[in-house]
Amino acid sequence: MGIGAAEARTWLDGVFERAKFATPVLHIYEEGDPAITPQMDLIRSLTRSDRTLVKIDRMRHIDFTSLGFGAVAVPGLTGPSSPLLADKVRAVAGYTLLFVELATGGKPVAPRAEPQPWLHVERIGR
């Protein structure tokens, strides 16, 4: 279960106070895999946190794992791949690297992605 899944709505209840949580959050997700339905209630409730939501159209949930990266090198590794898988995996890696660089106070060196019709970025600040 992930932070953006429907089951996560109450996942951390009693574990921490959402109103005090101020850690930046990056959530990269898709909406096309029926096994994992996005539900952003938990993420949206973290009102003191800078949040970046990156939706990538027509990408399977498995493509966000190392298997998706492997499927770029070995086509068919995980079955029929998502359209433009190499570009989408590159976007996942680029946003993750940029997030880590910014969160750790490093100098951002990740390349900025060109706007794509399949890439949707929402930034929610404090």
Side-chain angles (χ1 to χ4, degrees), residues 6 13 15 19-20 46 59 61 71 78-80 83 88 95 100 112-113:
D13 286 356
V15 176
K20 292 182 179 179
L46 305 174
M59 194 167 177
H61 195 74
T78 60
K88 293 175 181 181
Y95 274 96
V100 170
R112 300 282 181 186

Side-chain angles (χ1 to χ4, degrees), residues 73-88:
V74 182
L77 178 67
T78 60
S81 68
S82 301
L84 303 169
L85 182 60
D87 293 338
K88 293 175 181 181

Side-chain angles (χ1 to χ4, degrees), residues 7-71:
E7 295 82 10
R9 283 179 290 201
T10 58
W11 185 35
L12 298 173
D13 286 356
V15 176
F16 77 106
E17 292 183 54
R18 294 178 191 203
K20 292 182 179 179
F21 184 82
T23 303
V25 172
L26 169 67
H27 183 63
I28 304 173
Y29 68 103
E30 49 73 30
E31 292 181 332
D33 192 333
I36 305 292
T37 304
Q39 216 296 343
M40 303 298 172
D41 286 358
L42 175 58
I43 293 171
R44 292 191 187 284
S45 74
L46 305 174
T47 56
R48 292 197 54 223
S49 179
D50 288 330
R51 292 147 289 157
T52 302
L53 307 178
V54 178
K55 182 178 88 163
I56 301 179
D57 294 336
R58 299 187 66 200
M59 194 167 177
R60 300 171 306 160
H61 195 74
I62 196 169
D63 294 332
F64 292 103
T65 71
S66 57
L67 289 172
F69 287 73

